[in-house]
């Protein structure tokens, strides 16, 4: 069955770079895109970006200068990197396939 | 950016009642391919969002038929015919017609 799982550090220092991995199973990254979404504590959902099945990417313009999404299709992994972290980047980070299948999320705290 | 406006912010309800959620977009969500990419989610406390409805009115696999979606263009509605205890939580609408993809702020369904 379709599964996605986010992994990465739970605590990051301000000004540093966040690196998260979304490991997928039950489908191929060459057939489906993967989307990243985040949710600050107690707040709503924000679309961050997408890597399409052909490997192209689109980003939220508010994050574009700091964000990159890549993948390793042989490992069924999608990578999110975001630099110059600030405390308001503290959030649960989710990956999702076609908006229907979601990972459990990973809570990332940015410490000043 | 497309702004998604959800009303009400909070919906106090009794079990067994009907619930209705509104989501309005700042521009039409009709894609050039003829599809309208409007989805509804329920997020229970501490869990990932779970998809209920995609493309306005299509129930995702396993979603009970007490959930129904309708609308077109810029005006969309989610209805629950008889609210059950497991339906409590925050409901979000999402548009993924126009980049950047955007969510509504959510409507919290809670007991009176």
């Amino acid at each position: 069955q379709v599964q996605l799982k986010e992994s990465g550090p739970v605590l990051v220092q301000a000004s540093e770079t966040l690196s998260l991995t979304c490991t997928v199973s039950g489908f191929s990254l060459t057939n489906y895109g993967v989307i990243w979404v985040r949710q600050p504590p107690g707040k709503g959902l924000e679309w961050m970006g997408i890597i399409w099945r052909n490997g192209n990417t689109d980003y939220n313009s508010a994050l574009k200068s700091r964000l990159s999404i890549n993948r390793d299709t042989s490992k069924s992994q999608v990578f999110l990197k975001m630099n110059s972290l600030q405390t308001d980047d503290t959030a649960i980070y989710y990956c999702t396939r076609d908006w229907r299948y979601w990972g459990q999320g990973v809570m990332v705290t940015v410490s000043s | 950016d497309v702004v998604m406006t959800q009303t009400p912010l909070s919906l106090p309800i009794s079990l067994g009642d009907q619930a209705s959620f509104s989501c309005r977009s700042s521009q039409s969500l009709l894609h050039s391919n003829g599809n309208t990419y409007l989805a509804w989610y329920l997020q229970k406390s501490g869990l990932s969002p779970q998809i209920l409805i995609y493309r306005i009115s299509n129930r995702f696999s396993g979603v009970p038929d007490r959930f129904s979606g309708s609308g077109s263009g810029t005006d969309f509605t989610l209805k629950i015919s008889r609210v059950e205890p497991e339906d409590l939580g925050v409901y979000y609408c999402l548009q993924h017609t126009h980049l950047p993809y955007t969510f509504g702020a959510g409507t919290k369904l809670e007991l009176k």
Side-chain angles (χ1 to χ4, degrees):
Chain A
Q1 71 274 31
V2 174
Q3 291 187 318
L4 302 93
K5 186 170 184 180
E6 306 86 350
S7 59
V10 296
L11 183 64
V12 184
Q13 297 300 311
S15 80
E16 293 188 347
T17 297
L18 173 65
S19 295
L20 297 176
T21 300
C22 175
T23 303
V24 309
S25 59
F27 67 98
S28 170
L29 293 175
T30 57
N31 291 330
Y32 291 91
V34 169
I35 301 144
W36 286 94
V37 172
R38 69 177 181 175
Q39 184 173 37
K43 296 190 177 180
L45 299 158
E46 178 185 32
W47 172 72
M48 299 182 71
I50 183 170
I51 186 161
W52 300 94
R53 60 182 179 177
N54 64 3
N56 289 347
T57 53
D58 281 297
Y59 300 115
N60 186 324
S61 56
L63 302 172
K64 190 172 184 177
S65 63
R66 302 194 288 139
L67 182 62
S68 68
I69 299 174
N70 293 287
R71 68 182 186 180
D72 184 333
T73 56
S74 67
K75 293 184 178 178
S76 294
Q77 291 181 320
V78 176
F79 309 106
L80 177 148
K81 285 192 193 314
M82 190 162 69
N83 59 30
S84 303
L85 287 181
Q86 299 301 318
T87 54
D88 60 3
D89 292 313
T90 294
I92 300 173
Y93 287 76
Y94 298 101
C95 56
T96 165
R97 191 203 91 173
D98 56 25
W99 299 106
R100 300 181 191 186
Y101 300 93
W102 291 63
Q104 64 191 23
V106 59
M107 176 68 203
V108 177
T109 300
V110 181
S111 171
S112 58
Chain B
D1 297 4
V2 177
V3 177
M4 304 295 287
T5 302
Q6 287 189 246
T7 55
L9 196 62
S10 170
L11 185 54
I13 205 141
S14 299
L15 297 178
D17 283 356
Q18 176 175 276
S20 182
F21 306 82
S22 172
C23 178
R24 289 193 167 93
S25 56
S26 59
Q27 64 187 82
S28 174
L29 300 185
L30 179 63
H31 194 278
S32 56
N33 66 11
N35 289 319
T36 298
Y37 295 103
L38 185 283
W40 288 95
Y41 294 85
L42 164 59
Q43 188 174 33
K44 301 178 185 178
S45 181
L47 296 179
S48 306
Q50 58 185 90
I51 191 166
L52 300 170
I53 302 285
Y54 62 94
R55 277 190 268 129
I56 301 177
S57 60
N58 297 276
R59 271 190 305 276
F60 188 61
S61 174
V63 174
D65 60 7
R66 63 179 181 274
F67 290 90
S68 62
S70 62
S72 64
T74 62
D75 199 351
F76 305 94
T77 301
L78 174 72
K79 285 192 167 89
I80 310 174
S81 57
R82 294 170 308 279
V83 172
E84 306 264 345
E86 60 266 29
D87 301 338
L88 301 179
V90 181
Y91 287 77
Y92 293 97
C93 59
L94 159 74
Q95 71 82 18
H96 57 110
T97 295
H98 304 291
L99 287 165
Y101 304 138
T102 46
F103 291 89
T107 294
K108 186 172 185 179
L109 183 66
E110 52 193 352
L111 290 178
K112 274 183 184 170

